[in-house]
Amino acid sequence: MTKAFDAVKAEEEHLLCRSYSRYPLAIARGKGARLWDVDGKEYVDLLAGIAVTALGHCNDEVCAALEAQVHRLWHVSNLFYQEPQLELARLLLSTSHHGKVFFCNSGAEANEASIKLARRYMRTIRQRDAFEIITLNGCFHGRTLATLAATGRESLSDGFTPLPEGFKQVPPLDMAALESALTPSVAAVLVEVVQGEGGIVPLPGDWLREVETLCRKRDVLFMCDEVQAGFCRTGTFWAFQNYGLTPDIISTAKALANGLPMGAMLATDEVAQGFVAGSHATTFGGGALVSAVATKIVEIMLRDHLADRAAEVGGRFKARLEAIQRRLPEKIREVRGMGLMLGVELAVPGRPVWTELLRRGYICNLSHDVTLRLLPPLTIEEIDLINFATSLEDILQAA
Ligand SMILES: *Cc1c(COP(=O)(O)O)cnc(C)c1O
């Protein structure tokens, strides 16, 4: 690569724990759906920091909200009442059927909160010793010990055992397996409406509705991990709203503060009774600075109808990718996803295609070495998506 990049890479080897395998790219600057590397090369960003910078990089209105709050108050801890937290909570709750919020700092923490609330609600409110959490093969719920147990992928927990007990996995779409897993010790079923890290795998709405119905029948909580699919990405504000689901608890994070670390768990008033003062806490969660920024972000998402935009622009983008698939069926196996959460599963080795896209100035993710995962900013110009599709077809024709 180049001199500036080589210097950054060499320095990192000395300084950071080696827990990441990085792209051959050091980013210096961003604006909207554009990124520039340390050598000044421009890229179109179809990854958005893994579904985080949904309003694009350095959005002017978000920057203004940040600057205003920077000089007012950053952090006082959750020992204090804080109005910015309440303003955000009011706005977030206006987007769903939930009644209460718990703020935290990441997706894994939002899932930890969901798991803890489900267990404690069952024990203290329902007086039932129900603690098990059922998840689906192919899911991803985070990297803390409990969320690793929920994720259930051995390659991720290698060397970290023992993991916390009380987690079981079943294959998606297998109703019989789920029915037999729902023993009296189960507290909740946790699903992603569209599996993100799993390679953009949307679960069918009919099946998800059956899962929720079964949970109701067996008196088990139904929880959705909206960390990646939430915040307008799939064409509705929350992904579960595509199918009229009513999860008791949802976990959210990624796009909530457009790159500042923030997570939130939303629960119904009924289930939220599982927490009392002292049950759960975090030093940073819902601080004034991140709350003020997140409030502006959710306001913009609602004002600019970004869920509708994701459905429309994403629908046209998906149709374009599907047309390429029909022209090149030996190169593309399948196009999956909803809104601006799309996956192109290749029938040819993915790495060279991904590398050539990068060389041509397009950043996306390559999932499991076969699926191009596309999570662009919700504000991306349609021409960027059209040009990406043209480049992809050109590369695949030659591949
Ligand atoms: C990214 C992700 C998480 C974990 O979020 P972190 O902020 O990295 O802890 C959990 N669930 C889903 C669905 C995710 O995509």
Side-chain angles (χ1 to χ4, degrees):
M1 295 249 100
T2 67
K3 260 210 168 73
F5 171 75
D6 285 341
V8 172
K9 184 174 184 225
E11 182 153 55
E12 174 169 313
E13 301 268 314
H14 296 294
L15 297 174
L16 301 191
C17 281
R18 289 182 197 160
S19 76
Y20 296 103
S21 66
R22 301 212 195 263
Y23 294 164
L25 208 59
I27 300 297
R29 195 160 61 85
K31 187 72 191 168
R34 289 286 182 288
L35 287 170
W36 289 268
D37 71 13
V38 289
D39 295 296
K41 181 174 169 180
E42 182 175 313
Y43 296 86
V44 177
D45 183 9
L46 290 101
L47 180 56
I50 320 184
V52 168
T53 51
L55 301 185
H57 300 283
C58 302
N59 177 292
D60 289 337
E61 284 181 281
V62 177
C63 286
L66 175 69
E67 279 163 25
Q69 187 62 38
V70 153
H71 299 289
R72 198 172 296 141
L73 182 71
W74 290 24
H75 170 88
V76 290
S77 90
N78 283 303
L79 294 171
F80 298 85
Y81 293 96
Q82 298 165 72
E83 282 182 317
Q85 208 174 82
L86 300 183
E87 199 180 341
L88 175 60
R90 213 178 294 121
L91 195 58
L92 273 181
L93 292 172
S94 77
T95 64
S96 85
H97 61 281
H98 296 99
K100 295 280 186 287
V101 185
F102 176 86
F103 289 116
C104 54
N105 315 289
S106 69
E109 279 178 79
N111 281 322
E112 290 272 347
S114 303
I115 293 162
K116 287 178 75 174
L117 179 62
R119 287 182 172 178
R120 204 169 186 287
Y121 167 75
M122 283 299 180
R123 259 98 174 231
T124 63
I125 304 299
R126 306 300 303 280
Q127 311 276 317
R128 285 177 45 203
D129 191 29
F131 56 88
E132 262 190 329
I133 309 293
I134 307 295
T135 60
L136 302 178
N137 294 353
C139 71
F140 181 81
H141 298 299
R143 298 279 201 148
T144 61
L145 291 172
T147 57
L148 272 182
T151 298
R153 211 180 306 161
E154 263 166 39
S155 58
L156 301 186
S157 53
D158 180 39
F160 298 129
T161 55
L163 300 182
E165 292 171 29
F167 295 87
K168 204 186 285 167
Q169 272 198 339
V170 297
L173 311 186
D174 186 341
M175 219 27 145
L178 183 63
E179 283 196 38
S180 56
L182 290 188
T183 62
S185 58
V186 173
V189 173
L190 171 62
V191 304
E192 289 164 271
V193 171
V194 182
Q195 293 185 330
E197 301 298 312
I200 313 293
V201 181
L203 298 176
D206 287 344
W207 184 75
L208 288 166
R209 275 189 289 264
E210 272 182 65
V211 171
E212 180 172 346
T213 303
L214 183 65
C215 287
R216 305 285 170 229
K217 214 161 77 190
R218 300 283 187 92
D219 206 8
V220 160
L221 297 181
F222 179 64
M223 314 199 292
C224 291
D225 180 339
E226 291 270 348
V227 171
Q228 189 163 148
F231 292 106
C232 305
R233 185 152 291 280
T234 66
T236 48
F237 197 93
W238 302 108
F240 71 78
Q241 291 166 336
N242 283 289
Y243 305 123
L245 304 169
T246 54
D248 301 284
I249 303 174
I250 64 171
S251 44
T252 82
K254 288 196 163 85
L256 173 53
N258 213 64
L260 294 188
M262 190 176 208
M265 175 196 69
L266 277 62
T268 60
D269 281 314
E270 164 65 23
V271 174
Q273 297 176 88
F275 280 172
V276 296
S279 293
H280 191 46
T282 154
T283 300
F284 292 120
L289 188 66
V290 284
S291 292
V293 169
T295 299
K296 175 55 73 179
I297 286 157
V298 178
E299 278 173 5
I300 293 171
M301 285 177 173
L302 295 171
R303 180 197 69 195
D304 295 350
H305 306 287
L306 291 185
D308 294 341
R309 185 177 195 274
E312 286 158 27
V313 172
R316 286 194 288 270
F317 186 32
K318 189 181 185 195
R320 191 171 287 271
L321 295 167
E322 284 168 339
I324 300 173
Q325 196 262 337
R326 283 193 297 277
R327 289 193 290 273
L328 300 172
E330 73 289 359
K331 303 290 173 68
I332 296 179
R333 189 162 290 139
E334 193 181 23
V335 178
R336 293 187 297 264
M338 332 153 60
L340 285 170
M341 183 170 188
L342 297 172
V344 179
E345 186 177 331
L346 301 172
V348 293
R351 184 63 49 178
V353 176
W354 178 87
T355 303
E356 179 58 15
L357 281 167
L358 195 62
R359 200 190 64 77
R360 294 187 187 203
Y362 292 101
I363 292 175
C364 64
N365 174 246
L366 181 64
S367 178
H368 300 92
D369 277 328
V370 292
T371 302
L372 299 171
R373 182 163 58 140
L374 309 172
L375 303 161
L378 303 175
T379 51
I380 193 169
E381 304 263 355
E382 213 160 349
I383 187 69
D384 287 334
L385 301 174
I386 293 169
N387 289 340
F388 168 84
T390 305
S391 282
L392 176 62
E393 180 162 20
D394 189 50
I395 292 166
L396 288 176
Q397 254 157 0

